[in-house]
Amino acid sequence: MKNINKKLQILVLLPLIAMQLNCGSSKNVTANAGKVESWITTTDETSKLKKQADLVFSSETNSNQTIEINPAEKFQTIEGFGFSLTGGSAQAIIKLDKPKREALLQELFSRKNDAIGLSYLRLSIGASDLNEKVFSYDDMPEGQTDMNLEHFNLGPDLNDVIPVLKDILAINPKIKIMGSPWSPPVWMKDNGSSKGGSLQPKYYGVYAQYFVKYIQAMKSHGIVIDAITPQNEPLHPGNNPSLLMLAEQQADFIGNHLGPAFAKAGIKTKIIVYDHNCNKPEYPLTILKDPKANPYVAGSAFHLYEGDISALTTVHNAFPNKDLYFTEQYTGSGSNFENDLKWSVKNVVIGSMRNWSKNALSWGLANDEFYKPFTPGGCSTCKGALMIDQNQNIKREVGYYIIGHASKFVPEGSVRIGSNIAGKLHNVAFKTPSGQIVLIVENDGASAETFNIKYNQKQTSTSLNAGAVATYVW
């Protein structure tokens, strides 16, 4: 009888214990939800992605301007933030002593401790203008061709880009990688030069196989190419290397050659069109309107050396089922920390995200103290996110902080959610896969701004200096 009574007592107490445990855990969740962490970068460089004292949500009200977060309003899913791993970037990194190199790559690509969690890289297919010399993966003596691509090989990339990529993939196996060519092999072009000229139509089929071989060769090294663009900056034939490829030519190449070649080879790599400035949205629209090309095209890519970032929304509104990407913006040696921080966070990070982009990439990841290497006629003023000098000193340049304010806090799979622009406070908000809310704010005004962040009927008040950038997480 005693045993029966004890069992009854236990049965009665179990629900009460469970209720207490649930109440306790609910209380902890509420307490944690009230805290807002923040990191700030200021234009005077006294604070660079530096953690601040926590803020707290409350029911108190005031008359400050308010950024309100609306998690019910959902937009695009984010694929990542990062840079181009140029040949020059890989050379700068691989020259570091092994312990220093390993520590740097952990800082850049892991999500541990103070790392910035870069999650997207762009590669050049062959040389870009930030290589020390021009090359393709199938260079031939003058006057000779290689229609079967028997001489195809990854060339100089085997010495730097691929070893660095393997180290990166060991840290983040899920990193997204996009490839973009600056020029086809010279023998395929109508001017016989690495600079300018056009791809001869008789080589469209061979060039499509060149992309197939590239993707397969990279895969043999354990490197999955998630997306390619058929040509970097197709309307800028003045770089070295470069190629002029008009919209109609790109549509023909994709619809009749590249798309079918990928399909036949069973390649799932996405084809992203355009990859040039925001002043010509009609270029990707021409390709997307082409009935043969359209089924093979996953989206369009943009840079912002000309035009307005709203061009991405123009293309999105015309083809809402096609994705948008922001694939390049440089910071230059002739600018300064303040101007680059303000402009790039406002346009490249916040602007691209508010205009449907699934990623945001700055240009080169690294260079030496002389902005080298670059090709003859290539960019001599392109400033990497890192400057690595001959003594292996590493300087984190403005690009590191521009992208770091997003990459550190917004992992792949995050979704952009609703937030309003309050006065000069440009911003964008996300919900991460783990359920955190991330808000990135840039004060584009000439003076400090005090404002509220409002979420779920609660708010917290804070301030941000002129030109400063902050990331808030809760």
Side-chain angles (χ1 to χ4, degrees), residues 88-97 100-101 104-105 108 365-373 384-397:
S89 298
Q91 282 183 356
I93 291 167
I94 209 165
K95 285 176 183 175
L96 291 168
D97 293 337
K100 189 170 278 194
R101 182 171 72 246
L104 177 63
L105 292 177
L108 293 172
L365 178 59
N367 52 244
D368 70 15
E369 65 267 46
F370 306 108
Y371 306 105
K372 291 181 177 180
L386 306 170
M387 181 182 283
I388 303 175
D389 69 18
Q390 302 305 309
N391 297 318
Q392 304 200 9
N393 297 307
I394 302 169
K395 182 183 178 186
R396 289 147 189 82
E397 299 281 6

Side-chain angles (χ1 to χ4, degrees), residues 18-64:
M19 282 175 66
Q20 286 176 334
L21 287 171
N22 286 337
C23 287
S25 64
S26 171
K27 186 177 179 182
N28 287 337
V29 168
T30 305
N32 291 337
K35 185 177 74 171
V36 180
E37 296 181 302
S38 63
W39 287 258
I40 288 179
T41 300
T42 54
T43 56
D44 64 4
E45 304 185 55
T46 55
S47 179
K48 291 180 175 179
L49 201 52
K50 187 176 180 182
K51 196 172 188 304
Q52 309 296 304
D54 291 341
L55 305 170
V56 179
F57 280 118
S58 74
S59 302
E60 294 178 13
T61 60
N62 56 51
S63 58
N64 297 339

Side-chain angles (χ1 to χ4, degrees), residues 162 165-166 169 173 177 216-225:
I162 288 169
L165 267 178
K166 287 181 177 179
L169 285 164
I177 299 171
Q216 292 172 338
M218 293 297 272
K219 190 175 182 181
S220 74
H221 290 280
I223 299 161
V224 175
I225 303 299

Side-chain angles (χ1 to χ4, degrees), residues 105-176:
L105 292 177
Q106 284 287 341
E107 176 190 338
L108 293 172
F109 295 99
S110 81
R111 303 205 72 85
K112 300 173 185 173
N113 304 322
D114 291 331
I116 61 169
L118 299 177
S119 50
Y120 207 115
L121 286 174
R122 183 174 178 234
L123 309 177
S124 63
I125 299 176
S128 76
D129 60 312
L130 294 190
N131 278 82
E132 60 185 353
K133 63 178 182 179
V134 174
F135 65 89
S136 79
Y137 297 137
D138 199 332
D139 292 326
M140 298 295 292
E142 190 174 349
Q144 294 185 31
T145 62
D146 183 17
M147 297 298 284
N148 295 321
L149 301 176
E150 293 171 358
H151 298 278
F152 182 96
N153 69 86
L154 295 173
D157 285 352
L158 292 165
N159 301 323
D160 39 54
V161 172
I162 288 169
V164 172
L165 267 178
K166 287 181 177 179
D167 287 344
I168 292 167
L169 285 164
I171 297 166
N172 179 6
K174 293 183 178 180
I175 195 164
K176 286 277 195 296

Side-chain angles (χ1 to χ4, degrees), residues 8 80 150 191 253 256 258 308 365 406 444 459:
L8 286 170
E150 293 171 358
N191 70 342
F253 176 59
N256 295 307
L258 186 63
D308 189 270
L365 178 59
D444 210 47
Q459 65 184 33

Side-chain angles (χ1 to χ4, degrees), residues 67 85 180 300 355 362 443 446:
I67 299 171
L85 182 69
S180 304
S300 309
N355 285 279
S362 282
N443 178 4

Side-chain angles (χ1 to χ4, degrees), residues 101-341:
R101 182 171 72 246
E102 288 176 349
L104 177 63
L105 292 177
Q106 284 287 341
E107 176 190 338
L108 293 172
F109 295 99
S110 81
R111 303 205 72 85
K112 300 173 185 173
N113 304 322
D114 291 331
I116 61 169
L118 299 177
S119 50
Y120 207 115
L121 286 174
R122 183 174 178 234
L123 309 177
S124 63
I125 299 176
S128 76
D129 60 312
L130 294 190
N131 278 82
E132 60 185 353
K133 63 178 182 179
V134 174
F135 65 89
S136 79
Y137 297 137
D138 199 332
D139 292 326
M140 298 295 292
E142 190 174 349
Q144 294 185 31
T145 62
D146 183 17
M147 297 298 284
N148 295 321
L149 301 176
E150 293 171 358
H151 298 278
F152 182 96
N153 69 86
L154 295 173
D157 285 352
L158 292 165
N159 301 323
D160 39 54
V161 172
I162 288 169
V164 172
L165 267 178
K166 287 181 177 179
D167 287 344
I168 292 167
L169 285 164
I171 297 166
N172 179 6
K174 293 183 178 180
I175 195 164
K176 286 277 195 296
I177 299 171
M178 174 184 283
S180 304
W182 266 237
S183 174
V186 164
W187 54 268
M188 296 185 187
K189 300 172 74 173
D190 61 7
N191 70 342
S193 170
S194 61
K195 183 176 176 179
S198 295
L199 178 66
Q200 296 185 67
K202 66 181 178 181
Y203 294 119
Y204 279 13
V206 184
Y207 196 39
Q209 290 304 317
Y210 181 91
F211 281 89
V212 170
K213 280 187 170 287
Y214 168 70
I215 291 162
Q216 292 172 338
M218 293 297 272
K219 190 175 182 181
S220 74
H221 290 280
I223 299 161
V224 175
I225 303 299
D226 182 72
I228 58 93
T229 66
Q231 175 59 37
N232 169 69
E233 299 191 342
L235 299 178
H236 176 34
N239 201 357
N240 186 26
S242 61
L243 178 83
L244 177 66
M245 181 181 269
L246 303 177
E248 293 78 10
Q249 293 171 323
Q250 193 163 119
D252 179 9
F253 176 59
I254 293 168
N256 295 307
H257 302 278
L258 186 63
F262 277 18
K264 187 177 180 181
I267 285 173
K268 304 297 183 187
T269 300
K270 295 191 281 281
I271 298 173
I272 311 297
V273 303
Y274 190 41
D275 206 6
H276 207 171
N277 288 327
C278 288
N279 63 332
K280 300 284 185 184
E282 61 271 21
Y283 188 113
L285 290 172
T286 296
I287 301 169
L288 292 169
K289 288 173 184 174
D290 184 282
K292 281 194 173 180
N294 179 289
Y296 297 115
V297 174
S300 309
F302 288 85
H303 307 174
L304 191 54
Y305 302 110
E306 292 183 85
D308 189 270
I309 195 66
S310 62
L312 279 69
T313 291
T314 300
V315 176
H316 169 81
N317 289 343
F319 290 91
N321 63 323
K322 301 294 186 181
D323 293 329
L324 279 302
Y325 294 86
F326 191 92
T327 48
E328 181 187 315
Q329 195 69 30
Y330 97 137
T331 51
S333 60
S335 188
N336 60 43
F337 190 97
E338 176 179 358
N339 291 340
D340 284 337
L341 179 73

